[in-house]
Amino acid sequence: MLGGGRFTARWGHAVDLAAVVSGVPACSKCIVSLTSDTVGRKPCVDCVNWDTEVKNGLLDFDPPTDFPTDELPACGKLSPLRLTYEVMKCAVTTAHQRFLAGGWSKKNVASYLRVHGLNNEAIAAIT
């Protein structure tokens, strides 16, 4: 079911790593912290210090072409998702219902489901 593409480069997560790769490695301040005897780790505003589950905005990414505008947050950027069966099932249900209701085109459905980790074969079966 997972597409192995742009949004699923990390198993179990949906994020456009190519778009945010510069913020993933530890910055120079975090490297010093990691290599010293410092106890605890303070949140960093310059990097995610290899933690791709941090919610500081550095991993937020632009939506792909044809992503449904009604599913965009107010900031206009998408945040990484932890992909579970339930998340994917909900995405499929949402996309299918909105497609049948005429609110979304096939391109909207495909874009939305790719971000949620589905491959082209699964997307074709839904539309």
Side-chain angles (χ1 to χ4, degrees):
M1 203 51 121
L2 292 175
R6 175 178 166 193
F7 302 103
T8 53
R10 179 171 181 222
W11 176 256
H13 293 81
V15 59
D16 188 354
L17 282 176
V20 298
V21 69
S22 63
V24 175
C27 66
S28 56
K29 289 183 264 179
C30 288
I31 289 174
V32 169
S33 176
L34 288 170
T35 57
S36 70
D37 290 334
T38 307
V39 176
R41 193 172 68 169
K42 294 181 182 178
C44 184
V45 296
D46 298 320
C47 73
V48 297
N49 200 6
W50 299 106
D51 183 358
T52 56
E53 294 191 23
V54 168
K55 302 288 186 208
N56 63 4
L58 290 174
L59 296 178
D60 292 354
F61 57 96
D62 291 323
T65 304
D66 298 314
F67 192 85
T69 55
D70 59 332
E71 286 294 320
L72 282 175
C75 68
K77 299 245 183 187
L78 298 175
S79 296
L81 289 171
R82 182 85 140 130
L83 291 177
T84 64
Y85 180 74
E86 284 303 314
V87 167
M88 294 172 76
K89 182 176 152 185
C90 183
V92 168
T93 300
T94 298
H96 187 65
Q97 288 174 346
R98 295 200 182 156
F99 179 70
L100 290 179
W104 288 5
S105 68
K106 281 188 175 188
K107 288 182 178 182
N108 295 140
V109 170
S111 184
Y112 181 76
L113 292 178
R114 277 192 198 100
V115 169
H116 286 82
L118 277 80
N119 64 20
N120 290 335
E121 184 181 3
I123 293 168
I126 293 160
T127 57

